[in-house]
Amino acid sequence: MVLDFTQPPAGYPKANQTIPGTAYPGVILAAIPATTGDCKGVSTLLWATGQDASLGSFVAPGFIGEIKAGQPGAYCMDLPLQITPVKASREITVRVLGAAKTQQTSLPYLVKAQLSTGDTRTATNTAATGKPLSLTVTAPEGATITSAIVTGVPQHSGVLVAVTSVTLT
């Protein structure tokens, strides 16, 4: 199953907006809240169009609003994003768009999958700004992926978690 996050969920307009974690069939999405700072307790998700045409559209943790009065925008997009398949999956591929809050050119990402056996498996790689990157985790024989977390490395480092698709097999 391929979930295309470059399109808004069914029934939603093509506009920056907060979406529920169940907006895309086949997965449950959730932002993992920060414990301190401006993003403390933020658990919402957003569907966003890129700041310019080259970025495209994506799903990310965070919200659209104001942290400080008079400064509207999309915030907390560097929180980790949890992806929970509704049906058992042996493999997950997460495609992210390399993006950051600052002028970083090397953007490290990590996908950490929780397995039905209690073990975890990870995939890491580095994206260039504005470029897509796919990270795949495959469960070993006899195990399935129960959830996966995608994050910039280190977490809350300004590397945005802009997910353009998820493939589950």
Side-chain angles (χ1 to χ4, degrees):
M1 168 182 7
V2 177
L3 300 165
D4 180 7
F5 295 159
T6 64
Q7 297 298 315
Y12 287 78
K14 285 190 173 186
N16 294 338
Q17 61 197 298
T18 301
I19 61 169
T22 55
Y24 289 92
V27 294
I28 299 169
L29 305 171
I32 299 175
T35 56
T36 61
D38 289 339
C39 296
K40 181 178 180 179
V42 172
S43 61
T44 52
L45 303 167
L46 58 93
W47 183 84
T49 58
Q51 295 173 347
D52 60 57
S54 67
L55 287 181
S57 302
F58 51 84
V59 168
F63 67 95
I64 297 167
E66 295 183 8
I67 286 183
K68 297 178 182 161
Q71 295 181 2
Y75 292 97
C76 303
M77 292 172 48
D78 63 344
L79 292 173
L81 176 68
Q82 183 170 356
I83 302 164
T84 304
V86 173
K87 293 183 179 179
S89 298
R90 288 281 324 278
E91 186 173 85
I92 185 168
T93 298
V94 179
R95 188 169 176 91
V96 297
L97 180 63
K101 293 194 285 188
T102 60
Q103 296 290 350
Q104 295 170 264
T105 56
S106 180
L107 306 167
Y109 287 92
L110 168 110
V111 172
K112 181 177 182 181
Q114 181 67 49
L115 305 179
S116 57
T117 59
D119 296 327
T120 60
R121 295 284 187 272
T122 60
T124 60
N125 209 334
T126 302
T129 300
K131 302 293 182 189
L133 172 70
S134 292
L135 297 152
T136 300
V137 176
T138 304
E141 195 65 39
T144 58
I145 295 170
T146 58
S147 67
I149 295 172
V150 58
T151 185
V153 179
Q155 290 183 4
H156 314 295
S157 63
V159 175
L160 306 183
V161 180
V163 179
T164 58
S165 70
V166 171
T167 303
L168 300 165
T169 53

